[in-house]
Amino acid sequence: MATSEATKWPKFAVSVLAALSSSLLLSFIVSRRKTKGLIERVRELEASLEASVKNCSAERRGRIRAQQALRKALPRNGTEETKGNSYPMVPIGTVRSCFSTRNGTPRQPVLAPLARACLVLDVSRVPAEALEGLAEYSHCWILYIFHLNTDLDKLWSQPSRSKFKAKVRVPILQGGKMGVLATRSPHRPCPIGLTVAKVEAVDGHAILLSGVDLVDGTPVLDIKPYLPYSDSIQEATIPKWVVDDRSLVVSSVNFSLDFTSSLANCWVEAEKYSLYASPMEFQSLIRQVLSWDIRSLSQRTRPHQAIMENLTNGYTNSNNTSASDNNPDTEIDEGISSGSSSQKASLPPPGDITYHLILEGIDISYRIDGDSNVVVEKAMLTSSVKNDSRSRSNYAWKK
């Protein structure tokens, strides 16, 4: 019996060993197949990566060739008068300013610290994330287009027929001329302006600015932060005729008894879209703007002639927003009440002429006497305000 059991154990051991061998062989075969599959997958991924790299390189070469072809094609496709390369640009945003018209808009930035604007980006071109970090700067540069120049089409499409003037009249020279590139005139070979403004806040895709000299609707090409260490040059010099001239500073600005009530009546509607928190703050803006003589040279020196020219050309206060100047040597007088043609024979004394300043669509009428004393008479809503659906009541400076 013992011998029979002893003969069974070797057979059992052989069976176990055979089973283990089969299992190990099967595991080896499976593992090998998996390894082979992984190796093939790695090779596929390597081939795909190599193809992607080649495609990216080909696309980059294609873009470079396209850009080179575009640069060559632009001058060839332009007008015969156009020389050199052309670089088409599209505005990235628009300014919503307190200055409804050119008349009254400061000639330089920061002259009216209360002058406010909202620069709204075109989100289809520039996402709001592009403004991240700008609020940490106190000021910024704004590159924009003088869009109210009436000769823009000729200037760009027919440069030789644009009647571009090499010299322009300078206000502080009382009509004296200087080379246009030595001035800040809007009538330039390329009608591009540069200004600096204080950054009050960044709200989504909008920048809240103050101290602006931009008219409402101005197209903006670019925004750059102001860097004092590089943008402010302490040893910079200027010509004698550019030295701060106080000849355009008025003697006083006063408000009539009727002005406060007329502004209060306007404010019922105006506060819905205004950049200002109260009528008193808005009145402070008026004082700052009118503390400089904003009249044109012809209005200051020949007020009656300015009225006659406005009558002849059909310019009255109702089309203030469309008056623009084709010729920088002549000034179309915005913001002056000329009356009807039947009044030509009875022109008022210079101190009795009523001028107009339009801020946020509110028509501010005022007079200025021979001693440069300004009296602001009344405020009246214009039709553009009544049709304006913009709401600015949630802006930072009104919170």
Side-chain angles (χ1 to χ4, degrees):
M1 188 70 178
T3 304
S4 176
E5 290 180 356
T7 56
K8 288 181 179 180
W9 274 108
K11 292 180 180 180
F12 175 74
V14 170
S15 298
V16 170
L17 290 173
L20 288 172
S21 299
S22 299
S23 178
L24 289 172
L25 179 61
L26 181 61
S27 297
F28 175 75
I29 294 172
V30 172
S31 177
R32 187 173 181 180
R33 288 180 178 176
K34 287 183 177 180
T35 303
K36 185 178 180 180
L38 290 174
I39 292 173
E40 291 177 355
R41 179 59 179 162
V42 169
R43 289 175 180 172
E44 290 176 0
L45 291 174
E46 288 176 345
S48 176
L49 179 60
E50 184 179 358
S52 297
V53 171
K54 290 181 179 179
N55 288 337
C56 289
S57 299
E59 289 177 2
R60 185 173 181 276
R61 289 193 298 270
R63 287 197 301 270
I64 293 173
R65 286 195 295 268
Q67 291 170 356
Q68 291 173 343
L70 179 60
R71 292 191 186 103
K72 293 179 181 179
L74 282 174
R76 188 167 56 248
N77 293 337
T79 60
E80 294 181 359
E81 296 92 343
T82 303
K83 295 182 180 180
N85 292 336
S86 298
Y87 300 94
M89 297 183 184
V90 178
I92 64 170
T94 305
V95 171
R96 296 301 181 190
S97 169
C98 63
F99 298 107
S100 301
T101 66
R102 296 186 311 165
N103 179 53
T105 303
R107 292 185 172 92
Q108 301 295 341
V110 195
L111 291 181
L114 277 176
R116 295 171 181 166
C118 179
L119 199 168
V120 183
L121 291 182
D122 180 357
V123 291
S124 66
R125 293 183 52 81
V126 182
E129 290 78 8
L131 295 177
E132 184 176 346
L134 184 64
E136 299 177 30
Y137 295 89
S138 65
H139 293 76
C140 69
W141 293 106
I142 300 170
L143 206 64
Y144 62 96
I145 299 174
F146 289 109
H147 67 299
L148 293 183
N149 290 2
T150 57
D151 57 350
L152 291 183
D153 291 339
K154 289 182 179 179
L155 186 63
W156 284 330
S157 61
Q158 297 176 317
S160 64
R161 301 181 182 179
S162 64
K163 297 181 180 179
F164 168 73
K165 300 292 184 179
K167 289 190 173 184
V168 295
R169 297 187 186 278
V170 181
I172 61 176
L173 292 180
Q174 301 298 320
K177 291 184 178 181
M178 279 290 167
V180 64
L181 298 182
T183 73
R184 299 290 186 91
S185 169
H187 300 277
R188 318 185 69 79
C190 290
I192 296 175
L194 176 67
T195 189
V196 66
K198 185 178 180 181
V199 179
E200 296 286 352
V202 175
D203 184 7
H205 62 283
I207 311 171
L208 312 178
L209 305 168
S210 65
V212 301
D213 60 347
L214 300 170
V215 70
D216 190 57
T218 296
V220 173
L221 294 174
D222 195 17
I223 303 163
K224 301 180 188 296
Y226 179 88
L227 305 177
Y229 69 86
S230 62
D231 296 346
S232 178
I233 304 175
Q234 298 298 326
E235 63 272 20
T237 60
I238 57 176
K240 292 182 179 179
W241 58 270
V242 183
V243 175
D244 187 19
D245 185 87
R246 311 301 293 178
S247 63
L248 296 179
V249 177
V250 302
S251 300
S252 65
V253 178
N254 298 294
F255 295 85
S256 69
L257 296 176
D258 296 333
F259 176 79
T260 302
S261 59
S262 65
L263 180 59
N265 293 333
C266 295
W267 203 253
V268 175
E269 183 68 26
E271 67 176 346
K272 299 176 183 178
Y273 60 86
S274 179
L275 294 168
Y276 299 87
S278 66
M280 292 301 296
E281 188 179 35
F282 187 76
Q283 185 169 330
S284 297
L285 168 68
I286 298 171
R287 184 183 296 276
Q288 284 187 1
V289 174
L290 292 181
S291 65
W292 297 81
D293 193 341
I294 63 174
R295 297 176 299 169
S296 66
L297 177 63
S298 60
Q299 287 176 348
R300 295 196 305 271
T301 58
R302 302 182 303 277
H304 290 156
Q305 181 177 341
I307 292 178
M308 299 300 290
E309 289 175 353
N310 282 347
L311 288 170
T312 303
N313 296 325
Y315 282 89
T316 63
N317 184 55
S318 63
N319 63 358
N320 196 334
T321 58
S322 63
S324 189
D325 190 2
N326 274 314
N327 188 342
D329 283 346
T330 59
E331 299 178 83
I332 292 175
D333 295 312
E334 299 175 338
I336 183 170
S337 288
S338 55
S340 64
S341 58
S342 62
Q343 296 173 319
K344 291 181 182 180
S346 56
L347 293 173
D352 291 339
I353 297 174
T354 300
Y355 298 93
H356 295 266
L357 167 67
I358 301 183
L359 298 174
E360 290 197 320
I362 299 178
D363 185 348
I364 312 297
S365 58
Y366 70 96
R367 299 175 189 270
I368 181 169
D369 63 20
D371 295 324
S372 295
N373 296 300
V374 174
V375 176
V376 185
E377 296 183 325
K378 64 179 181 179
M380 182 175 61
L381 287 177
T382 63
S383 58
S384 61
V385 172
K386 299 173 183 178
N387 299 326
D388 197 334
S389 60
R390 291 176 293 179
S391 176
R392 306 175 182 179
S393 59
N394 61 341
Y395 284 173
W397 42 58
K398 298 186 69 175
K399 293 179 180 178

